[in-house]
Amino acid sequence: MVREGSAPNFCPPTEEGVTITLVDEKGERVELEFLGLVLKGESSFGFFFPIDDEHPATSSGEVVVLEVTEVDEEGQPVSFELVDDEVIAAEAYADFQEAAKDLYDFA
């Protein structure tokens, strides 16, 4: 099932429960459920739920905001970095909430 967002700057996951595994700066593997991507000016931000045995994919929890730092030749994200600036992260998350309001419950 292809999902659609409610804003032109939003790229939702192609299906529910899509996960990726990233390696953090300590070399530890972190599994994340992909919630969508928001295009904001010249930047792109990905939104993810951390998942593990206690928090499976499609469960609610803390949202991690990562900025896309590299894309492949087709424009698909291949590298991300944690957004350290709280103001930028909050603005990007507000855009995500608006764009994804038809897909997720932000209550």
Side-chain angles (χ1 to χ4, degrees), residues 51-91:
I51 58 174
D52 55 33
D53 292 338
E54 295 176 20
H55 303 93
T58 72
S59 69
S60 62
E62 174 187 358
V63 174
V64 176
V65 181
L66 301 176
E67 184 172 5
V68 176
T69 56
E70 184 180 348
V71 295
D72 64 16
E73 56 278 346
E74 296 176 1
Q76 298 299 312
V78 294
S79 183
F80 295 90
E81 186 174 294
L82 185 63
V83 178
D84 290 330
D85 186 313
E86 290 182 23
V87 172
I88 292 172
E91 289 174 358

Side-chain angles (χ1 to χ4, degrees), residues 5-77:
S6 54
N9 67 331
F10 179 59
C11 303
T14 54
E15 61 186 58
E16 202 169 292
V18 173
T19 62
I20 65 169
T21 302
L22 299 177
V23 178
D24 69 13
E25 62 276 351
K26 297 176 188 172
E28 296 179 19
R29 298 172 65 83
V30 179
E31 191 164 1
L32 303 167
E33 177 186 358
F34 177 61
L35 304 175
L37 191 75
V38 168
L39 309 173
K40 186 170 177 61
E42 296 294 315
S43 301
S44 298
F45 297 92
F47 299 86
F48 303 85
F49 279 144
I51 58 174
D52 55 33
D53 292 338
E54 295 176 20
H55 303 93
T58 72
S59 69
S60 62
E62 174 187 358
V63 174
V64 176
V65 181
L66 301 176
E67 184 172 5
V68 176
T69 56
E70 184 180 348
V71 295
D72 64 16
E73 56 278 346
E74 296 176 1
Q76 298 299 312

